[in-house]
Amino acid sequence: MAALALVLAACGGDDDNAAQPEPEGAEGAPSGEPIVVGSSLSLTGAFGPTAAIHQVAGEQFIERLNEEGGLLGRPVEWLVLDDESDQAQVADLYERLISQEQVDLIMSPYATPNILSAAPIAERHGFVLPQHTAVLAPLLPYRCQFPAWSIGPEPNVYVPEQLYDAVASLPDPPERIAILTHQSGSTDFISYGSPEVDGVGAVSIAEDRGLDVVLEVRYPPGTTDWAPIAAQVRDADPDLVVNNGLGVEPVELIEAMEQLDYRPPLLFSLFPAPGPLLGVGEGVLSVSTFEPNEAVLEQYEPEVREIVDDFESRAEDAGVPYTAFETQAASSWTAWEILVAAVEGAGEIDHEAMCDYLIENGADTTLSGELTFDPEVNNFWPSNQGLKQVQDGEWVMVWPEDRAAAQLRLADN
């Protein structure tokens, strides 16, 4: 069985700490039986570098929640099981959390494939499932799953259209495109769609726009030998490489291309681990809902800067490779706010009432504003996603123009 980590987010759990007086100015310190939230996370395995971000953000959120009075006046604890980045383990772990550990609430795992495995268990038990990283709207019909990161009901259209619009704004826009696709979950869906949506995705949309798709490669999860793919990219000589991939895959691809003394003018990676790319990925593009750039932070209340600074300190202490509070952390934060909104709105731990409340009232979130949930589109709200780029060793928002902290540029500019 996977490794087990119990995160007690109340300020201390022993008798000595409990006996200490409430800090001056504290409002309604939580008391009574804890409310336990259960989830799995990829604490180890291929998804580990990104899941670590969600772990730190969740711990930070719960500690802050308990300092502000907890939920329904009770302290909140987080029970985390390690799914080892293995989708095959996820269903059993969520069954264990609900049936054996008898948790009160659940939070999603990290990554679309894992969330797709957790959703049927949540549905069978009637649990509300806030989820932070599954954007594959057509495959998430469960009425009581609530996304914290939305690319709308048609992410297979939204992502490529946004990317192609952005690069078309360059003085010399790309004409030749290579599309490299991780064959699972949302990554494959973004490239090729599915039969249910007539196979619309990055490939077909590029062709419809008159772009020349000079190379298509679909590689299996767990690919480690990138030399053959790098050679194919070099020989195709595209202006833009679209890597609909995950984690450290773009880093491994770049390193393999550099072994061939080759680098394309532009490279886009869909869902990379943000930290590892900074050292090798100058000019790389990716999706983003939030970056802690000064121009972005100025658009929010001062509380957001406090959250960002606290996360960076915690992430550094935890040894997370990339300590910036960016899209992954922001989506986690929003997912936890959705869960809190459901409980406080229902006024009790009643999953049917919680689900109904969110559908009828939505959720007010710090980073994404007021969210509305419509089961007709599987609760995926209008997207606030943009594009970021590695510039001078940092991720910065570059698209759309009204949210940009810098201009989009080619890798060698």
Side-chain angles (χ1 to χ4, degrees), residues 92-141:
D92 287 342
L93 293 179
Y94 275 82
E95 187 65 49
R96 171 183 166 183
L97 286 165
I98 295 171
S99 299
Q100 297 179 33
E101 304 294 344
Q102 297 187 329
V103 298
D104 302 290
L105 306 166
I106 56 173
M107 176 58 64
S108 77
Y110 163 69
T112 295
N114 291 347
I115 294 169
L116 292 177
S117 291
I121 309 305
E123 184 171 14
R124 183 185 310 134
H125 291 277
F127 268 53
V128 166
L129 178 65
Q131 57 89 359
H132 35 61
T133 46
V135 297
L136 227 172
L139 296 187
L140 286 160

Side-chain angles (χ1 to χ4, degrees), residues 227-252:
I229 297 176
Q232 291 180 72
V233 174
R234 177 201 59 189
D235 294 344
D237 194 25
D239 304 317
L240 166 66
V241 174
V242 176
N243 172 218
N244 288 327
L246 298 168
V248 296
E249 291 171 354
V251 174
E252 294 168 344

Side-chain angles (χ1 to χ4, degrees), residues 94-364:
Y94 275 82
E95 187 65 49
R96 171 183 166 183
L97 286 165
I98 295 171
S99 299
Q100 297 179 33
E101 304 294 344
Q102 297 187 329
V103 298
D104 302 290
L105 306 166
I106 56 173
M107 176 58 64
S108 77
Y110 163 69
T112 295
N114 291 347
I115 294 169
L116 292 177
S117 291
I121 309 305
E123 184 171 14
R124 183 185 310 134
H125 291 277
F127 268 53
V128 166
L129 178 65
Q131 57 89 359
H132 35 61
T133 46
V135 297
L136 227 172
L139 296 187
L140 286 160
Y142 175 40
R143 179 176 181 269
C144 298
Q145 71 81 29
F146 297 96
W149 180 351
S150 175
I151 316 180
E154 295 183 301
N156 52 309
V157 175
Y158 187 96
V159 172
E161 289 281 11
Q162 185 175 65
L163 173 63
Y164 299 153
D165 284 347
V167 298
S169 71
L170 290 166
D172 186 16
E175 299 177 354
R176 297 164 52 82
I177 298 180
I179 299 178
L180 317 178
T181 306
H182 177 112
Q183 286 180 294
S184 74
S186 56
T187 49
D188 197 77
F189 185 75
I190 296 297
S191 287
Y192 295 99
S194 69
E196 291 79 11
V197 290
D198 300 323
V200 176
V203 174
S204 63
I205 292 172
E207 292 169 344
D208 289 345
R209 282 175 168 245
L211 299 170
D212 186 9
V213 181
V214 296
L215 177 67
E216 292 178 58
V217 176
R218 295 171 96 167
Y219 58 88
T223 294
T224 56
D225 184 5
W226 290 88
I229 297 176
Q232 291 180 72
V233 174
R234 177 201 59 189
D235 294 344
D237 194 25
D239 304 317
L240 166 66
V241 174
V242 176
N243 172 218
N244 288 327
L246 298 168
V248 296
E249 291 171 354
V251 174
E252 294 168 344
L253 171 64
I254 290 169
E255 290 174 344
M257 291 191 297
E258 288 181 341
Q259 289 293 316
L260 302 174
D261 196 26
Y262 173 79
R263 186 72 176 262
L266 276 175
L267 189 150
F268 167 85
S269 182
L270 185 59
F271 298 132
L277 266 175
L278 291 181
V280 299
E282 186 67 22
V284 170
L285 286 162
S286 188
V287 297
S288 178
T289 61
F290 180 85
E291 297 298 319
N293 309 139
E294 188 60 34
V296 174
L297 288 173
E298 289 175 354
Q299 301 174 24
Y300 291 89
E301 296 295 323
E303 176 194 19
V304 173
R305 194 181 297 273
E306 296 173 8
I307 293 170
V308 166
D309 292 344
D310 186 27
F311 175 87
E312 291 179 353
S313 176
R314 291 167 180 267
E316 184 176 356
D317 290 344
V320 174
Y322 185 57
T323 61
F325 186 98
E326 48 75 69
T327 295
Q328 296 288 339
S331 63
S332 256
W333 199 267
T334 300
W336 284 101
E337 287 186 322
I338 291 170
L339 185 61
V340 169
V343 174
E344 292 183 342
E348 58 181 330
I349 307 294
D350 180 322
H351 284 271
E352 183 176 358
M354 291 160 53
C355 180
D356 289 344
Y357 176 84
L358 288 175
I359 290 172
E360 293 169 7
N361 299 279
D364 188 18

